[in-house]
Amino acid sequence: MTPPMVGSWQVRIVAARPYAIHGDHYFEFAIAQLNAPANAPPEAVLRAPVHAFAVPPEENQAVEITFLMGQVTAVKPLVD
């Protein structure tokens, strides 16, 4: 999966961990399609600044990721 230049994805977070670049705080997180089996390998790994997350990422969390110029600008949980 290649991130879009502009738009959004609805995906499932497979794994996430804190990540720092030159003192700036990020989360590095692996994603899969919403309908992918739980044991399926991640389809992409992304990094986003901590402030882009509405809540801290959790495994198996369904989220909508918003992109601008190929960069993650927001990660919001999907409500059932």
Side-chain angles (χ1 to χ4, degrees):
M1 295 173 79
T2 302
M5 285 296 286
V6 177
S8 63
W9 281 348
Q10 290 187 348
V11 297
R12 183 174 47 85
I13 293 177
V14 177
R17 68 180 183 104
Y19 189 83
I21 301 173
H22 303 295
D24 293 330
H25 299 282
Y26 292 79
F27 283 109
E28 181 175 70
F29 58 107
I31 60 170
Q33 294 183 22
L34 286 176
N35 59 356
N39 61 349
E43 297 182 42
V45 175
L46 303 172
R47 290 185 183 138
V50 170
H51 68 264
F53 289 81
V55 297
E58 298 177 12
E59 283 188 23
N60 295 313
Q61 182 180 42
V63 296
E64 180 172 57
I65 304 171
T66 305
F67 297 88
L68 180 61
M69 299 303 292
Q71 301 298 310
V72 175
T73 58
V75 182
K76 298 176 184 173
L78 292 176
V79 180
D80 292 334

